[in-house]
Amino acid sequence: MTKLLHQLGDLTAVRDRDALDGALVRAIHDLLQPQSSAIYRIVGEPGNERWLTSAQLQATQVIPTGDSAWAPLDSLPPLSTQPLRQRAIASLQVQQSPCAPCRTVFPLAGQANAVAVLELGSAVPLTTESMRLVSGVLRLYLNFQSLLDYGERDALTELLNRKTFDDAFLKATSEQRLNQAGTQDERRDTHSSATYWLAMIDIDHFKRVNDNYGHLIGDEVLLLLARLMRACFRFHDQLYRFGGEEFVVLMRCHGEAEAADVLERLRTTTEEHLFPQVGTITISIGFSEVTPGDTPSGAFERADKAVYYAKEHGRNQVCSFAALIATGELLSQAANIGDMELF
């Protein structure tokens, strides 16, 4: 009992959602001593769903490992390769393989924007008592994860909120430096040439929506735009609501053209969508590459200048900070930024 209490104390001391998965597999590993323990999440669009290893610990390991959050989708194993996991998720019941080495799969239900399983490998099937112990720990894990989600996500849109941005930005740039230095381990993906990009998205004339239709309809517009964002971006792109009508995306792309294409897809999708009562709305987007050694405030400022330029020059467009600098357009307007009409 003392060991269990210590493990639960360590689990609930974590304040990072990614680290929480590692803490869970360590706790299960210490309590039951399985051959392996791992959390696998389903990522990707319907029809092309894959298994992402969130945290994994083998009997010979001390520190859990896992796939990069930015792993290319096609590098991950397809859903169909693991029918036992699929059955656990579909039935919401624990599934166990009949032969050694035994695999026991626990569904992790109730997570925001995620479907996942905990899978344990053992020489013999888990006892009923051990399965009850794991199920109890998982209830605590899921409840605690809900609390973390409540603190890290915007209440209206369920996108990440502003206070989580700096940590995520620093994690992404740290991984980028490791890729550039060539110090990643054997799990390093072959797409490490991709770089990080920060985009700011602002709804055009949003004040008019609130003034003409009321804040309830304005909230519905924000909620629907968040859904369009989820549909347009990839599973590993990080989507934030910074407050009001301002959204931010942190993504990984192979160059400016790819980043611009992704953002243009969102712009056109939004323009073509019919919002209840309001009809058509448009968005302005500014984006910038995240450079080595960059700071969150530095990258944010560049994207911010680009989106201000987009709003001053007609709105409903995607503007690259680097392109504006290269043409001199941004410099020629810098002195007038403070006088823009943004809404």
Side-chain angles (χ1 to χ4, degrees), residues 153-220:
R153 293 189 178 274
D154 175 59
L156 175 65
T157 64
E158 295 188 351
L159 300 182
L160 294 167
N161 60 29
R162 185 167 189 163
K163 71 179 184 180
T164 66
F165 174 76
D166 284 4
D167 285 344
F169 182 93
L170 294 175
K171 283 182 183 178
T173 52
S174 295
E175 182 174 320
Q176 179 170 272
R177 286 195 295 271
L178 289 174
N179 277 330
Q180 291 175 340
T183 56
Q184 289 278 52
D185 62 19
E186 65 274 8
R187 301 184 69 86
R188 181 185 178 191
D189 65 68
T190 58
H191 291 63
S192 58
S193 60
T195 55
Y196 296 94
W197 298 78
L198 178 70
M200 288 190 60
I201 301 161
D202 200 292
I203 301 175
D204 297 326
H205 301 299
F206 185 68
K207 185 174 183 297
R208 295 181 187 174
V209 174
N210 283 329
D211 289 347
N212 294 337
Y213 302 97
H215 287 275
L216 188 62
I217 297 301
D219 285 350
E220 186 172 6

Side-chain angles (χ1 to χ4, degrees), residues 121-324:
S122 54
V124 296
L126 295 183
T127 65
T128 301
E129 182 181 353
S130 293
M131 293 177 70
R132 286 194 186 124
L133 175 62
V134 173
S135 296
V137 173
L138 289 182
R139 284 198 295 272
L140 178 66
Y141 161 84
L142 291 170
N143 289 339
F144 189 63
Q145 189 174 70
S146 295
L147 290 176
L148 291 181
D149 282 338
Y150 180 78
E152 293 181 353
R153 293 189 178 274
D154 175 59
L156 175 65
T157 64
E158 295 188 351
L159 300 182
L160 294 167
N161 60 29
R162 185 167 189 163
K163 71 179 184 180
T164 66
F165 174 76
D166 284 4
D167 285 344
F169 182 93
L170 294 175
K171 283 182 183 178
T173 52
S174 295
E175 182 174 320
Q176 179 170 272
R177 286 195 295 271
L178 289 174
N179 277 330
Q180 291 175 340
T183 56
Q184 289 278 52
D185 62 19
E186 65 274 8
R187 301 184 69 86
R188 181 185 178 191
D189 65 68
T190 58
H191 291 63
S192 58
S193 60
T195 55
Y196 296 94
W197 298 78
L198 178 70
M200 288 190 60
I201 301 161
D202 200 292
I203 301 175
D204 297 326
H205 301 299
F206 185 68
K207 185 174 183 297
R208 295 181 187 174
V209 174
N210 283 329
D211 289 347
N212 294 337
Y213 302 97
H215 287 275
L216 188 62
I217 297 301
D219 285 350
E220 186 172 6
V221 168
L222 296 172
L223 180 59
L224 292 174
L225 178 58
R227 291 177 182 173
L228 293 179
M229 290 174 65
R230 289 195 189 93
C232 288
F233 289 100
R234 299 155 298 187
F235 78 92
H236 49 46
D237 294 327
Q238 297 177 2
L239 313 180
Y240 300 83
R241 182 186 175 202
F242 266 40
E245 71 278 19
E246 188 176 75
F247 297 83
V248 169
V249 178
L250 183 62
M251 57 186 178
R252 194 174 183 184
C253 298
H254 292 85
E256 182 178 293
E258 181 180 331
D261 286 344
V262 173
L263 297 169
E264 181 65 20
R265 180 169 66 243
L266 174 65
R267 188 198 65 79
T268 56
T269 299
T270 303
E271 185 180 25
E272 293 167 359
H273 186 81
L274 290 179
F275 292 80
Q277 296 194 44
V278 178
T280 299
I281 69 165
T282 61
I283 56 176
S284 296
I285 305 175
F287 71 100
S288 174
E289 183 176 9
V290 177
T291 59
D294 216 343
T295 62
S297 59
F300 184 84
E301 182 179 4
R302 295 194 302 274
D304 194 41
K305 288 181 178 179
V307 78
Y308 276 154
Y309 182 92
K311 295 183 80 69
E312 188 186 44
H313 291 78
R315 300 180 173 85
N316 191 25
Q317 59 184 305
V318 177
C319 288
S320 160
F321 176 82
L324 293 172

Side-chain angles (χ1 to χ4, degrees), residues 67-83:
D67 292 318
S68 166
W70 303 91
L73 191 63
D74 58 7
S75 71
L76 304 175
L79 213 63
S80 59
T81 61
Q82 298 294 336

